[in-house]
Amino acid sequence: MSETPSIPEEQPADPIALLKAQWAELKPKQHHLLRLAAQPTERGAGARPLRFAELSRVERHTKDLSLLRLTVQLPGQMLHKETNLLEVWANHAERRLSFTPEAGLQVEPGNRGLGRFLLAQAISWARQHFSAYQVEDFALGMKGSLDDENRQRRDKLLESLGFSVEYEDALHMKGRIHAGLVANLKADWNRDKLMPLSMLDAGQMLQQADQSLHDQALKIRVLEEQVQARKRDESALRFTITLLVLFGLFEAALVFLLMIF
């Protein structure tokens, strides 16, 4: 008697993987305006004028997993999907916290305080909810390792936030970031370089800009009126000089005629 082949039982789906897949396309509902203050021109970065950007925030919590996703958009500029993106995943069963993308945090524009700000926001959120969790090691971005000055600046920034950096090669091109407990991290950034603005702050800035434009328009109108007045005075003066020259020539002609006759 032939045996009926057994059908393998389906493995139960990983709830963490399912949640990550479901949350991959979440649309942000919180948006904030960021003001990137003007900085002196830098040899590597070039001009660094005043800029504004939009910070979008997504937050989700379940009994298995929590997520914070921060993204920054620049007006009129298309970026790679992993640029200006930072995600924090909290696994509650393992009491572990991880940062993504795995390739490392990439920010644009660079050296404007944006990377430190995103990390500080993520750390502040993690300390508030999961201070006793362990932070998983994560990779260093390759882009920041290409220039020695940028690499040193980046490593110093990470260390000031409570991370430690360990390189796997002598050229310092490939490395990992260690942190330990979430409670050991520090959430601070340079507010002179970057400042979040509320809607009221943004409205006040627009109002001040509008008033400044109005004042400038008045000054330009006054200057134009002064220029027109001086042009009229100049025309009158030229006409007077022309008449005086003609009168002088007429008198000279009369004198010459009297001398002849």
Side-chain angles (χ1 to χ4, degrees):
M1 180 177 180
S2 61
E3 295 183 358
T4 304
S6 60
I7 300 175
E9 296 182 359
E10 292 186 1
Q11 296 295 325
D14 181 1
I16 300 297
L18 285 176
L19 281 174
K20 287 189 174 183
Q22 292 171 4
W23 292 353
E25 302 300 328
L26 286 175
K27 301 300 182 183
K29 294 183 178 180
Q30 299 182 34
H31 303 276
H32 305 276
L33 183 65
L34 301 179
R35 179 182 183 272
L36 283 65
Q39 300 292 321
T41 299
E42 193 179 53
R43 177 174 55 85
R48 297 185 292 171
L50 172 69
R51 297 192 69 176
F52 291 91
E54 181 188 63
L55 171 67
S56 300
R57 182 184 178 109
V58 175
E59 185 174 348
R60 286 291 186 276
H61 298 276
T62 68
K63 64 181 181 62
D64 297 312
L65 193 68
S66 291
L67 163 69
L68 174 69
R69 179 182 295 134
L70 302 173
T71 54
V72 174
Q73 297 292 329
L74 301 170
Q77 187 171 345
M78 296 295 294
L79 301 173
H80 188 273
K81 65 178 182 179
E82 291 192 350
T83 301
N84 291 351
L85 166 69
L86 180 62
E87 294 179 333
V88 188
W89 298 88
N91 187 315
H92 303 313
E94 300 178 1
R95 298 178 65 82
R96 298 183 70 84
L97 196 93
S98 61
F99 291 88
T100 58
E102 295 180 357
L105 176 61
Q106 302 291 337
V107 295
E108 179 67 32
N111 197 19
R112 300 295 300 270
L114 187 55
R116 186 186 186 108
F117 170 77
L118 289 175
L119 283 170
Q121 295 297 304
I123 291 170
S124 177
W125 177 82
R127 284 173 59 93
Q128 180 182 357
H129 298 287
F130 318 108
S131 61
Y133 283 26
Q134 181 76 24
V135 180
E136 294 183 3
D137 296 351
F138 57 101
L140 277 168
M142 289 290 294
K143 184 178 179 181
S145 301
L146 299 177
D147 181 84
D148 190 59
E149 183 179 346
N150 289 337
R151 179 184 61 78
Q152 292 180 5
R153 184 189 296 118
R154 179 196 61 192
D155 294 354
K156 184 178 179 181
L157 180 154
L158 290 169
E159 290 169 358
S160 69
L161 293 174
F163 297 100
S164 61
V165 180
E166 180 179 307
Y167 288 98
E168 302 173 7
D169 62 325
L171 297 176
H172 298 101
M173 296 295 294
K174 188 177 181 181
R176 304 286 294 175
I177 302 173
H178 310 279
L181 294 178
V182 171
N184 297 333
L185 300 178
K186 303 172 185 177
D188 65 311
W189 77 91
N190 190 337
R191 289 167 172 78
D192 293 332
K193 283 188 174 182
L194 189 150
M195 180 63 67
L197 300 175
S198 66
M199 294 299 293
L200 186 61
D201 292 332
Q204 184 178 8
M205 289 181 61
L206 289 173
Q207 184 176 341
Q208 290 175 349
D210 182 71
Q211 183 63 42
S212 178
L213 289 173
H214 179 69
D215 294 341
Q216 291 295 328
L218 288 177
K219 290 179 180 179
I220 291 173
R221 188 180 305 165
V222 170
L223 290 174
E224 288 177 344
E225 291 176 353
Q226 291 176 351
V227 169
Q228 292 299 325
R230 290 183 179 180
K231 284 183 176 180
R232 289 193 295 270
D233 293 342
E234 182 183 3
S235 298
L237 184 59
R238 289 188 179 208
F239 180 72
T240 303
I241 292 172
T242 302
L243 289 179
L244 290 174
V245 170
L246 292 174
F247 183 73
L249 292 174
F250 178 71
E251 285 191 334
L254 286 178
V255 171
F256 178 73
L257 290 173
L258 289 173
M259 290 177 62
I260 293 177
F261 298 103

